[in-house]
C-alpha cells in the first residue's frame, strides 16, 4: 500500500501542476471538437479530424513537458497555443464555408496567390460568424494565457516542478510512448488531416509541376509532338473565360437576362450543352485543358500545349491576358501562355482591384490590324472571378432584388447573386464584342469561348465560389460556345453535321484534340475519339477528383 502511495502522491502533484499546460494546449482541440461537429457533413470525417488534431496536440504537449521549467517552456506554451488556435481557425473556416477539410487543390491556389489577393479573398469570404469565431478564439487565448500562464501561482508551478517526464518513471514511460505513437499515427494514418504536413508535401508537388511546365510548356516549340503544317489563311480566337458557370447564363436557360447580346445572335452560335471542366480551380484545370495532360496522365513529362501546337502549325500565336501574370514566369497559365510568339499582359492588378475585360480591346484591335496571314489568338479573361462587383463597370449594375431561382435566399445571397449575374452580363458583352470584331475581318475564322471552370453562387451550396472539396455541379458545368465565319463554314462543311453533336458529353481535359480538329492542325498524337467535333467521337467516362464519375454522382 505504502509502495503505491509512493508513486501516486508525486503523480497527483504533477498532474495538478500540469493542469494549466493541459488547458492551454488542449482548448483549441476542444473548440474544434465541439464547433466542428456542427459543420462537418460526415461523422467519419469528423472523427478523423478530431483524432488527428488530438494527436497533434498531444505531441506538442509532450514537447512542452520535455523542456526544463524555465521561461523558455512558458513561451513555448504560448507559441504552441497560437499555432493550434490558428490551425483550428483555418480548419473551422473551411468547415463553415465548404463543409469539409482543407485539401491539396485549395492549397495550390494559396501558393499561387500573393498577399494582396489573399486579403481580397478574406474580404470576399469574411462574414459575421467567421469574425465572431476569430474574435472569440483570440479573446479566449489572451484570457487563458494571462490567467494561467502569467500568474504568480503558475510561476510557482512552472519553476518548482522540474522537467515533468524525467521525474516520475511511470509518467515518463507513458508520455514518451504516447509521443512516439502519436507521431507515427499522424504521419501514417492522418496525413490528410494535418495541414502542416499536407501543406509541405503539396508545396513540393506544386514546385515539381512548375518545374515540369517550365522545361516543357513555356518554350515556343515542343519536342514531344509532330505537327503536319497546312497553309490555310486564318484568324482563330480561343477565349478562356474565368469562373463562369452556365447555371447563370441565359444562353443555357437561366431565368435572368445575363446574355442578351449572345442570345441575339444565338442562330449563329453553336452552344454545347454538356461540357465540364476537369477541375474547379484555374491552375489545375488549365494544366489539363490546354495540354496533353488528362486524368490518367496528369503533369505529363512529355507534355505539349495547344499554344505549341499552333506554333508548329505555322500560326502567329498571341497570348492576350487580362489576368495578372504573378511575376511573369510564375503562374501556371502564364507559363503555358509564354510559349506564344506575342504576349500581352494587360493587367497588373490582382483580383481584389476593379479589373474590366474591355481593357483587352485596344490590344486585340492592334493584333487584327497586322497583315500576318495565320493568326491564333488566345484571350485569357478575368471573367467573373471574385470579387464579382469588381468585374463590371457601373453601367452594368443591372440586376437588383431577389431572384426566384436562388436556392438559398438571404441578405448575403441576394447581393452576391446580383453581383455575379451583373458580371456574367458584362462578360456576355465582352464575348459578343470579340465575335463582332472577328466578323468584321471577313476571313476564315472561328471564335471559341469556354470557361476554365464554373462557380457555385448559392445554387447548390449556401455560399459562393469554387472549390474541389465540395465540387458541386455548377463548379464543373462550363459554357462552350462557338461562332464560325461564313468562309470557315464553306471550307469545313463537314462540321457539326450530326444532330446530337451539341449535346455530347465532354470533359475539357481532352480539349487539345478538339482544338486540333477545329483549327485543322494535324499532329501525331491526335485522337479523333477525343474531339467533341469529330465523327469518330466516343463518349467516355468523365472522371473528376479521385476517380469519381461525374455523371454517376
Ligand atoms: Zn479560374
Amino acid at each position: 500500500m505504502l509502495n503505491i502511495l509512493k508513486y501516486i502522491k508525486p503523480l497527483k502533484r504533477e498532474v495538478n501542476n500540469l493542469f494549466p499546460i493541459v488547458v492551454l494546449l488542449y482548448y483549441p482541440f476542444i473548440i474544434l471538437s465541439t464547433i466542428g461537429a456542427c459543420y462537418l457533413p460526415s461523422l467519419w470525417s469528423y472523427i478523423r479530424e478530431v483524432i488527428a488534431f488530438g494527436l497533434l496536440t498531444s505531441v506538442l504537449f509532450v514537447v512542452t513537458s520535455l523542456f526544463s521549467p524555465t521561461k523558455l517552456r512558458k513561451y513555448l506554451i504560448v507559441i504552441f497555443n497560437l499555432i493550434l488556435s490558428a490551425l483550428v481557425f483555418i480548419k473551422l473556416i473551411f468547415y463553415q464555408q465548404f463543409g469539409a477539410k482543407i485539401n491539396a487543390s485549395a492549397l495550390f491556389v494559396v501558393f499561387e496567390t500573393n498577399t494582396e489577393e489573399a486579403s481580397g479573398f478574406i474580404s470576399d469570404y469574411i462574414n459575421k460568424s467567421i469574425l465572431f469565431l476569430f474574435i472569440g478564439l483570440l479573446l479566449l487565448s489572451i484570457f487563458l494565457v494571462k490567467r494561467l500562464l502569467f500568474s504568480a501561482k503558475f510561476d510557482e508551478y512552472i519553476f518548482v516542478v522540474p522537467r515533468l517526464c524525467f521525474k516520475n518513471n511511470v509518467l515518463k514511460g507513458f508520455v514518451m510512448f504516447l509521443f512516439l505513437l502519436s507521431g507515427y499515427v499522424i504521419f501514417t494514418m492522418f496525413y490528410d488531416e494535418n495541414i502542416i504536413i499536407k501543406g509541405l508535401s503539396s508545396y513540393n508537388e506544386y514546385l515539381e509541376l512548375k518545374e515540369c511546365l517550365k522545361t516543357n510548356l513555356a518554350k515556343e516549340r515542343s519536342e514531344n509532338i509532330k505537327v503536319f503544317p497546312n497553309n490555310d489563311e486564318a484568324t482563330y480566337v480561343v477565349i478562356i473565360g474565368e469562373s463562369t458557370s452556365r447555371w447563370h447564363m441565359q444562353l443555357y436557360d437561366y431565368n435572368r437576362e445575363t446574355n442578351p447580346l449572345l442570345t441575339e445572335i444565338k442562330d449563329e452560335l453553336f452552344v454545347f450543352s454538356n461540357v465540364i471542366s476537369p477541375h474547379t480551380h484555374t491552375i489545375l484545370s488549365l494544366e489539363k485543358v490546354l495540354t496533353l495532360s488528362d486524368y490518367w496522365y496528369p503533369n505529363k513529362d512529355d507534355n505539349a500545349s495547344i499554344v505549341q501546337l499552333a506554333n508548329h502549325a505555322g500560326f502567329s500565336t498571341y497570348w492576350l491576358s487580362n489576368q495578372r501574370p504573378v511575376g511573369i514566369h510564375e503562374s501556371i497559365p502564364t507559363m503555358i501562355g509564354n510559349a506564344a510568339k506575342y504576349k500581352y499582359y494587360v493587367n497588373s492588378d490582382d483580383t481584389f482591384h476593379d479589373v474590366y475585360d474591355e481593357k483587352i480591346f485596344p490590344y486585340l484591335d492592334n493584333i487584327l490590324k497586322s497583315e500576318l496571314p495565320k493568326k491564333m489568338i488566345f484571350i485569357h479573361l478575368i471573367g467573373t472571378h471574385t470579387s464579382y462587383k469588381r468585374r463590371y463597370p457601373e453601367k452594368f449594375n443591372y440586376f437588383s432584388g431577389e431572384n426566384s431561382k436562388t436556392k438559398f435566399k438571404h441578405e448575403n445571397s441576394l447581393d452576391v447573386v446580383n453581383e455575379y449575374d451583373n458580371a456574367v452580363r458584362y462578360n456576355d458583352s465582352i464575348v459578343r464584342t470579340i465575335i463582332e470584331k472577328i466578323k468584321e475581318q471577313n476571313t476564315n475564322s472561328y471564335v471559341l469561348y469556354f470557361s476554365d471552370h464554373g462557380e457555385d453562387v448559392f445554387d447548390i451550396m449556401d455560399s459562393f465560389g469554387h472549390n474541389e472539396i465540395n465540387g458541386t455541379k455548377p463548379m464543373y458545368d462550363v459554357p462552350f460556345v462557338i461562332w464560325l465565319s461564313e468562309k470557315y463554314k464553306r471550307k469545313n462543311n463537314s462540321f457539326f453535321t450530326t444532330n446530337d453533336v451539341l449535346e455530347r458529353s465532354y470533359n475539357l481535359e481532352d480539349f487539345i484534340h478538339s482544338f486540333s480538329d477545329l483549327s485543322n492542325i494535324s499532329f501525331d498524337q491526335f485522337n479523333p475519339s477525343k474531339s467533341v467535333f469529330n465523327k469518330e467521337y466516343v463518349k467516355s467516362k468523365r472522371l473528376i477528383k479521385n476517380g469519381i464519375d461525374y455523371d454517376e454522382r
Side-chain angles (χ1 to χ4, degrees):
M1 189 66 195
L2 260 176
N3 225 358
I4 295 171
L5 272 179
K6 200 178 95 190
Y7 278 105
I8 284 182
K9 254 192 166 175
L11 193 66
K12 202 176 158 203
R13 197 183 64 225
E14 283 188 11
V15 168
N16 266 340
N17 291 335
L18 276 176
F19 181 71
I21 305 179
V22 171
V23 172
L24 278 168
L25 287 181
Y26 278 87
Y27 90 80
F29 166 73
I30 290 162
I31 287 173
L32 182 87
S33 315
T34 47
I35 302 181
C38 312
Y39 292 134
L40 265 166
S42 100
L43 181 67
W44 179 233
S45 56
Y46 169 72
I47 292 171
R48 281 187 65 89
E49 276 287 4
V50 168
I51 297 174
F53 202 80
L55 288 174
L56 177 70
T57 308
S58 306
V59 167
L60 295 184
F61 168 72
V62 175
V63 171
T64 319
S65 63
L66 286 173
F67 277 82
S68 347
T70 58
K71 274 200 168 156
L72 183 64
R73 186 199 254 184
K74 207 164 163 175
Y75 290 116
L76 210 59
I77 294 169
V78 177
I79 290 166
F80 285 164
N81 171 276
L82 288 177
I83 291 173
L84 290 171
S85 301
L87 288 179
V88 166
F89 180 63
I90 294 169
K91 277 171 181 280
L92 286 179
I93 284 185
F94 262 76
Y95 293 161
Q96 203 258 358
Q97 284 294 323
F98 310 123
K101 61 177 181 278
I102 198 160
N103 69 344
S105 64
L107 286 168
F108 264 48
V109 178
V110 174
F111 302 146
E112 287 250 316
T113 308
N114 57 28
T115 44
E116 265 184 89
E117 265 175 282
S119 68
F121 177 86
I122 290 165
S123 81
D124 279 338
Y125 282 96
I126 215 85
N127 58 34
K128 274 177 218 146
S129 52
I130 288 177
L131 211 64
F132 183 73
L133 181 71
F134 179 74
I135 295 170
L137 272 170
L138 194 72
L139 288 180
L140 195 62
S141 276
I142 294 170
F143 171 77
L144 288 175
V145 166
K146 231 180 130 200
R147 186 72 199 265
L148 297 173
L149 209 53
F150 293 99
S151 68
K153 208 174 173 196
F154 187 72
D155 267 359
E156 200 182 296
Y157 291 144
I158 210 158
F159 290 113
V160 170
V161 183
R163 252 193 294 204
L164 154 92
C165 45
F166 293 108
K167 183 104 193 279
N168 182 299
N169 278 341
V170 181
L171 203 58
K172 175 185 161 189
F174 175 69
V175 169
M176 283 311 284
F177 172 72
L178 194 74
F179 176 67
L180 292 173
L181 185 73
S182 301
Y184 176 75
V185 170
I186 286 174
F187 271 97
T188 53
M189 289 170 67
F190 293 97
Y191 171 83
D192 263 359
E193 278 73 16
N194 195 306
I195 302 181
I196 301 169
I197 302 173
K198 183 105 192 165
L200 287 175
S201 82
S202 296
Y203 190 64
N204 246 342
E205 234 175 85
Y206 169 76
L207 290 181
E208 264 172 39
L209 171 64
K210 274 178 75 162
E211 198 45 51
C212 167
L213 287 176
K214 226 178 242 175
T215 49
N216 261 321
L217 298 174
K219 292 188 295 192
E220 243 177 67
R221 301 183 83 79
S222 166
E223 286 144 21
N224 303 321
I225 40 167
K226 198 165 176 276
V227 180
F228 312 103
N230 73 50
N231 292 317
D232 291 355
E233 281 201 11
T235 299
Y236 297 149
V237 180
V238 176
I239 308 170
I240 304 157
E242 173 62 68
S243 308
T244 307
S245 151
R246 60 171 186 259
W247 285 51
H248 284 252
M249 288 179 69
Q250 181 186 0
L251 219 45
Y252 289 93
D253 298 330
Y254 186 50
N255 68 338
R256 279 178 155 181
E257 287 185 355
T258 50
N259 304 125
L261 298 177
L262 288 178
T263 305
E264 203 177 87
I265 56 160
K266 202 175 174 182
D267 292 347
E268 298 175 45
L269 302 175
F270 296 91
V271 180
F272 286 72
S273 60
N274 197 6
V275 176
I276 64 160
S277 58
H279 288 279
T280 65
H281 289 290
T282 311
I283 43 176
L284 292 172
S285 182
L286 290 185
E287 200 266 329
K288 291 198 172 97
V289 176
L290 305 180
T291 76
L292 283 166
S293 284
D294 58 18
Y295 175 81
W296 301 106
Y297 301 101
N299 321 332
K300 272 169 77 84
D301 285 337
D302 52 349
N303 209 352
S305 76
I306 59 170
V307 182
Q308 293 172 322
L309 208 59
N311 283 336
H312 280 263
F315 281 88
S316 304
T317 48
Y318 301 84
W319 185 266
L320 175 51
S321 170
N322 198 25
Q323 294 216 0
R324 183 183 160 114
V326 195
I328 296 285
H329 300 290
E330 293 312 313
S331 101
I332 288 171
T334 310
M335 273 194 257
I336 294 172
N338 269 348
K341 224 174 191 157
Y342 307 98
K343 298 164 273 273
Y344 307 93
Y345 293 95
V346 175
N347 164 39
S348 57
D349 286 327
D350 58 59
T351 56
F352 189 43
H353 290 87
D354 294 349
V355 178
Y356 309 141
D357 277 324
E358 63 201 55
K359 252 179 142 177
I360 57 162
F361 291 146
Y363 295 84
L364 180 61
D365 291 341
N366 265 338
I367 295 169
L368 292 176
K369 267 186 217 149
S370 117
E371 305 264 286
L372 293 164
K374 290 179 73 173
K375 296 195 244 337
M376 179 72 75
I377 307 163
F378 300 97
I379 301 177
H380 193 195
L381 301 176
I382 192 82
T384 57
H385 194 291
T386 51
S387 315
Y388 310 137
K389 62 172 181 290
R390 299 186 183 280
R391 296 299 153 253
Y392 54 89
E394 186 48 40
K395 66 174 182 200
F396 278 84
N397 192 357
Y398 183 81
F399 298 106
S400 61
E402 192 179 83
N403 183 14
S404 59
K405 214 171 180 176
T406 306
K407 191 172 172 191
F408 303 92
K409 295 185 176 71
H410 42 74
E411 204 185 316
N412 186 29
S413 72
L414 187 136
D415 288 342
V416 173
V417 170
N418 286 335
E419 285 163 8
Y420 186 71
D421 289 351
N422 288 335
V424 175
R425 196 178 156 99
Y426 177 66
N427 190 66
D428 173 72
S429 80
I430 298 294
V431 176
R432 172 71 191 270
T433 306
I434 294 171
I435 291 174
E436 290 306 318
K437 284 181 188 295
I438 303 305
K439 206 188 270 181
E440 271 172 32
Q441 299 288 304
N442 192 24
T443 176
N444 171 34
S445 308
Y446 70 71
V447 176
L448 165 62
Y449 166 68
F450 62 83
S451 182
D452 63 341
H453 53 79
E455 190 92 333
D456 192 334
V457 188
F458 298 96
D459 301 305
I460 301 283
M461 66 171 188
D462 189 8
S463 184
F464 62 97
H466 49 268
N467 68 83
E468 203 125 314
I469 308 160
N470 277 2
T472 61
K473 257 175 95 47
M475 296 179 198
Y476 288 97
D477 291 347
V478 290
F480 190 85
V481 180
I482 299 169
W483 173 87
L484 303 174
S485 74
E486 291 307 318
K487 276 190 183 156
Y488 183 95
K489 284 187 210 162
R490 278 200 295 277
K491 263 176 100 74
N492 306 278
N493 50 18
S494 63
F495 257 96
F496 310 130
T497 44
T498 47
N499 292 331
D500 68 334
V501 72
L502 298 176
E503 276 92 51
R504 282 177 176 170
S505 107
Y506 195 62
N507 184 344
L508 277 180
E509 68 175 6
D510 292 332
F511 176 67
I512 194 165
H513 303 280
S514 297
F515 169 81
S516 141
D517 225 356
L518 189 66
S519 315
N520 278 316
I521 300 172
S522 341
F523 74 115
D524 55 347
Q525 293 179 58
F526 173 66
N527 182 344
S529 72
K530 289 184 174 187
S531 163
V532 73
F533 309 120
N534 206 287
K535 283 198 184 89
E536 290 168 46
Y537 156 88
V538 177
K539 184 182 171 180
S540 60
K541 267 192 181 170
R542 302 193 283 188
L543 299 177
I544 51 165
K545 295 188 181 180
N546 298 323
I548 296 171
D549 186 339
Y550 171 85
D551 297 292
E552 303 232 311
R553 295 191 304 164

